[in-house]
Amino acid sequence: MRNTLTRVGCWLAGALLCTAAAPALVAAPAALPREAAPAAPVREAVAADPAYKVLVFSKTAGFRHSSIDEGVTALRELGGAHNFTVDATEDAQAFTTGNLAQYKAVVFLSTTGDVLNATQQTAFEGYVQGGGGYVGVHAAADTEYDWPFYAGLAGALFHSHPHNQTATLKVEDRAHDATAHLGTSWQRFDEWYNYRTNPRTTAHVLASLDESSYTGGNMAGDHPISWCKDYQGGRAFYTGGGHTEASYTEPAFRRHLLGGIRWAAGMTEADCRPESGYTALFDGSGTTGWQQAGPGSFALADGTLTSQGGLGLLWYSGKEFTGDYSLKLDWRMTDDDNSGVFVGFPASGDPWSAVNNGYEIQIDATDTPDRTTGSVYGFKSADTAVRDAALNPPGEWNTYEIRVTGERLEVFLNGRKINDFTNTDPARSLRQGHIGLQNHGDGDQVSFRNVRIKPTATTPPPTTRTGEVKGVNGKCLDVAGGSSADGTQVQVWTCTGSTAQKWTVPTDGSLRALGKCLDVSGGGTADGTKIQLWTCNGTGAQKWQAQGDGTVRNPQSGKCLDAEGATWNDGTKVHLWTCHTGPNQKWTLP
């Protein structure tokens, strides 16, 4: 994995490191973390990324920003310093499937109006659905109002703006690479857009405007200005800054752009799922409600807790958490370091109580599988392949979500699920206890930010739906001959009520009949690829999404379920075809 380390340590049960020279673990008076000197700012330089290419697109069909040239220059300079090549164009003919394939991200730099035709739009949709990255800068939100795909990709579209002025931004996420270098607030002079909708429910907000700090904001006090989201297989980042020429010489704004590009291009990871309803346990302003158990402590600077010394535990004594909850926090290793997050332990001034009665979610990527980052320490390894793909290296921030549902413990790293553990020990319970942050020992420096929690209601799993899938001429989606053999052709047929026409729509995106899944043969993407029945395997060839226009799309290929030809009799084969919303692509699911 890209942040493989070489550390070898001596371990005791529960992940407290011991060496011959380690002091004895003794109870220590409760102490809050001491205030430290301000931490050094996060560097603009980042770990070397592999070389990649970015397309910067700045075509305008409406107002043209005078800062576009400065923006292109800044992006070229960032690319030269950070190992990516910038191709800049205002020619929409660059939007072909073949040309876009060479780019890890496409930057819409203050584009305005309708800048792509239908063919170019289709190519760009396929690029995003195939995992491509989008970066929208400023007037990218003033673009393509009649293209629903783009509105969803951008997250929100322009409504209006007041005059240029200085405003205060609240930095809501200090773990994402686009905002980790900032403090909890950021003052900038720019042109501040109001948006037609609030993107918070569909995107993860990185920064928002304090509408009391300037005049002309009209979003009722909740005014996102930068956000990220996973979108139809790709990644989308947007920032409302960048109207002025001076923006592109500001070090903090340039670093903001760099982080957005790196994330959209897949060079760094982040949790970009929408987030709301969390209560801060540590927001950077102080440590009220926290106590230190055992030796060592945490330094507090720049809204960040950093472990020092140990073997101890900073635990939240302000509340014992019962029932189901989601705990989120951001963490960063300085180098080859060790720490962990404890849940489900009773109140105690002895850190061994957390070890012996709770569970630790480990932070250290260099030990045995059940003692590495994402493991439930000593009990269950993380899915190391998924973990390695989601993990940022030392020096960069990561985000954990630790989700407790009954006695089930799920761990998400930067938005990806990496562990799923169920407690069966009657002496322990995840449903009741405190949470804590470990300070592991001398030389281990792990930092934490933005510790927050919310209760989650236990709801029954969504029920599946079963019935006929009806298509063109009222005919039913049918498994030929009622055969459950792998490779059996799927067709349309007069509805008979037989089991060959009973389809189940579960919550995993598949369509199932006769115990098997609707499948794109070979995972193909070409028009005319056979649609068949196949053993369920969870691949993209077996994922289907019902669209608002009545089509059923396979996201992996970006194409639609289609009854072939122009006359649709019993036995007409079903295949994959470019979406065109004709009657032979309209389906009604149970």
Side-chain angles (χ1 to χ4, degrees):
M1 61 191 179
R2 62 179 173 147
N3 61 335
T4 300
L5 304 176
T6 57
R7 180 174 187 169
V8 177
C10 166
W11 297 85
L12 294 176
L16 293 177
L17 176 67
C18 75
T19 67
L25 184 63
V26 296
L32 293 178
R34 65 179 178 82
E35 187 75 27
V42 176
R43 66 199 188 288
E44 173 163 338
V46 295
D49 294 326
Y52 61 101
K53 296 181 71 175
V54 171
L55 178 66
V56 176
F57 183 56
S58 54
K59 179 179 177 180
T60 54
F63 180 82
R64 184 169 182 84
H65 283 73
S66 59
S67 60
I68 287 175
D69 288 345
E70 285 78 5
V72 171
T73 297
L75 293 171
R76 289 192 188 279
E77 290 172 351
L78 287 171
H82 298 286
N83 213 27
F84 62 88
T85 301
V86 168
D87 290 340
T89 187
E90 298 200 351
D91 185 355
Q93 294 183 66
F95 284 74
T96 67
T97 299
N99 188 56
L100 291 174
Q102 65 183 304
Y103 300 107
K104 291 291 187 181
V106 177
V107 181
F108 278 57
L109 177 62
S110 283
T111 50
T112 55
D114 294 335
V115 292
L116 300 179
N117 65 29
T119 300
Q120 294 156 357
Q121 289 176 356
T122 297
F124 188 57
E125 288 184 15
Y127 166 78
V128 172
Q129 290 161 353
Y134 162 86
V135 175
V137 180
H138 193 56
D142 189 20
T143 301
E144 295 287 357
Y145 289 92
D146 298 321
W147 181 14
F149 174 88
Y150 185 84
L153 181 71
L157 296 176
F158 169 79
H159 175 267
S160 61
H161 66 80
H163 65 275
N164 297 1
Q165 58 194 296
T166 298
T168 299
L169 285 69
K170 177 185 177 183
V171 181
E172 298 190 22
D173 184 327
R174 299 185 67 209
H176 193 286
D177 197 53
T179 45
H181 64 293
L182 301 170
T184 55
S185 63
W186 185 21
Q187 274 201 333
R188 291 193 65 247
F189 179 88
D190 215 319
E191 179 184 73
W192 303 113
Y193 278 5
N194 299 310
Y195 300 96
R196 297 184 178 193
T197 56
N198 191 319
R200 190 177 295 276
T201 58
T202 60
H204 180 75
V205 176
L206 302 175
S208 56
L209 286 168
D210 177 357
E211 288 192 336
S212 69
S213 69
Y214 73 108
T215 60
N218 70 358
M219 296 185 68
D222 183 16
H223 195 141
I225 197 66
S226 179
W227 52 82
C228 61
K229 66 193 300 187
D230 296 308
Y231 188 71
Q232 293 194 18
R235 298 183 178 199
F237 167 86
Y238 173 81
T239 179
H243 172 83
T244 67
E245 290 91 339
S247 296
Y248 298 98
T249 61
E250 294 176 31
F253 185 71
R254 286 164 64 102
R255 184 64 185 85
H256 179 57
L257 287 177
L258 173 64
I261 291 170
R262 291 189 70 231
W263 177 79
M267 298 297 132
T268 187
E269 300 298 320
D271 188 346
C272 283
R273 297 173 296 170
E275 181 177 317
S276 62
Y278 284 81
T279 298
L281 301 182
F282 171 71
D283 64 2
S285 61
T287 53
T288 301
W290 293 84
Q291 292 187 37
Q292 179 71 31
S297 62
F298 281 78
L300 172 59
D302 186 33
T304 304
L305 292 169
T306 301
S307 65
Q308 51 190 18
L311 312 151
L313 186 75
L314 181 67
W315 64 287
Y316 190 74
S317 61
K319 182 176 181 180
E320 183 175 24
F321 296 100
T322 59
D324 301 338
Y325 62 84
S326 168
L327 171 69
K328 283 192 174 184
L329 51 87
D330 305 328
W331 58 268
R332 179 183 66 183
M333 293 188 290
T334 302
D335 194 3
D336 181 2
D337 300 298
N338 193 315
S339 183
V341 182
F342 282 86
V343 296
F345 60 89
S348 176
D350 179 1
W352 285 99
S353 177
V355 172
N356 295 326
N357 298 287
Y359 287 104
E360 179 190 6
I361 294 81
Q362 176 73 339
I363 298 172
D364 182 347
T366 61
D367 208 4
T368 57
D370 66 341
R371 300 181 176 191
T372 61
T373 296
S375 65
V376 180
Y377 187 92
F379 291 91
K380 186 174 182 180
S381 170
D383 182 328
T384 54
V386 178
R387 187 276 312 275
D388 292 354
L391 182 63
N392 289 323
E396 295 188 31
W397 287 90
N398 292 276
T399 299
Y400 265 164
E401 180 189 3
I402 299 166
R403 187 183 298 171
V404 171
T405 309
E407 294 297 335
R408 182 185 186 188
L409 177 63
E410 298 170 274
V411 181
F412 297 79
L413 174 64
N414 294 325
R416 300 193 203 180
K417 186 174 177 177
I418 61 170
N419 209 334
D420 195 334
F421 168 77
T422 299
N423 169 48
T424 58
D425 183 349
R428 304 176 190 243
S429 177
L430 288 165
R431 290 185 61 82
Q432 183 169 352
H434 292 268
I435 68 167
L437 311 175
Q438 184 187 62
N439 54 300
H440 193 274
D442 290 334
D444 286 311
Q445 291 189 346
V446 177
S447 298
F448 296 91
R449 285 177 173 170
N450 196 16
V451 183
R452 65 264 195 206
I453 197 166
K454 75 172 180 179
T456 54
T458 302
T459 56
T463 57
T464 59
R465 311 188 312 273
T466 299
E468 296 169 332
V469 176
K470 292 189 175 181
V472 63
N473 295 340
K475 293 183 180 292
C476 279
L477 194 65
D478 178 279
V479 181
S483 171
S484 62
D486 282 352
T488 300
Q489 175 73 53
V490 175
Q491 59 189 8
V492 293
W493 199 275
T494 300
C495 298
T496 63
S498 71
T499 57
Q501 297 177 356
K502 296 296 185 186
W503 295 89
T504 297
V505 186
T507 58
D508 62 359
S510 65
L511 276 171
R512 304 187 180 210
L514 303 174
K516 295 193 174 181
C517 281
L518 190 70
D519 178 277
V520 179
S521 179
T525 60
D527 283 354
T529 300
K530 177 184 178 182
I531 300 298
Q532 60 189 5
L533 202 67
W534 199 269
T535 300
C536 297
N537 54 35
T539 65
Q542 297 180 355
K543 301 296 183 185
W544 302 93
Q545 292 180 348
Q547 306 296 305
D549 59 8
T551 61
V552 174
R553 180 174 296 185
N554 170 242
Q556 176 172 278
S557 63
K559 294 189 175 181
C560 282
L561 191 66
D562 179 286
E564 70 176 18
T567 57
W568 304 288
N569 301 314
D570 285 353
T572 297
K573 296 176 181 178
V574 174
H575 59 189
L576 196 69
W577 201 267
T578 299
C579 298
H580 55 66
T581 70
N584 57 323
Q585 291 190 349
K586 298 292 183 69
W587 305 92
T588 302
L589 274 59

